[in-house]
């Protein structure tokens, strides 16, 4: 029951969105440093601000990681197992 009642968090933010936030910000930071020779400090600030926003959303909906995983699963296209007109899903 613990896995359902207390979803994974990292510094008070849901794990999956926080990981995506860090991954996107670090990727953009490396890209901008290589291509434009910019200071990396603004990227750290935006990472912290984004994490704080995610922590706020995590307080309102602690299962945000589960919602993101369910949304990704829902986006998959279904395939008919038998060639028919329309949608007929036969095992």
């Amino acid at each position: 029951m613990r896995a359902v009642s207390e979803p994974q968090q990292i510094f008070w933010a849901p794990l999956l969105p926080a990981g995506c936030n860090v991954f996107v910000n670090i990727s953009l930071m490396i890209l901008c440093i290589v291509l434009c020779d910019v200071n990396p400090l603004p990227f750290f600030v935006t990472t912290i601000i984004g994490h704080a926003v995610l922590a706020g959303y995590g307080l309102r909906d602690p299962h945000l990681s589960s919602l993101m995983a369910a949304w990704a699963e829902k986006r998959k296209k279904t395939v008919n197992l038998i060639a028919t007109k329309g949608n007929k899903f036969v095992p």
Side-chain angles (χ1 to χ4, degrees):
M1 297 300 275
R2 181 184 175 108
V4 173
S5 63
E6 296 179 16
Q8 293 179 338
Q9 294 182 345
I10 183 165
F11 297 116
W12 307 285
L15 184 64
L16 186 60
C20 291
N21 176 39
V22 170
F23 176 74
V24 167
N25 277 311
I26 289 178
S27 298
L28 286 174
M29 177 182 68
I30 291 172
L31 185 69
C32 288
I33 287 173
V34 170
L35 295 178
C36 304
D37 195 33
V38 297
N39 187 3
L41 187 61
F43 294 99
F44 292 120
V45 172
T46 58
T47 302
I48 292 171
I49 291 171
H51 191 82
V53 168
L54 287 172
Y57 279 122
L59 285 175
R60 190 174 68 182
D61 188 8
H63 295 280
L64 193 57
S65 294
S66 301
L67 289 174
M68 287 179 68
W71 177 77
E73 192 68 31
K74 184 188 82 157
R75 302 275 302 160
K76 290 183 181 177
K77 294 287 185 185
T78 57
V79 177
N80 287 338
L81 298 176
I82 298 175
T84 60
K85 284 188 174 180
N87 290 327
K88 183 175 182 180
F89 302 105
V90 179

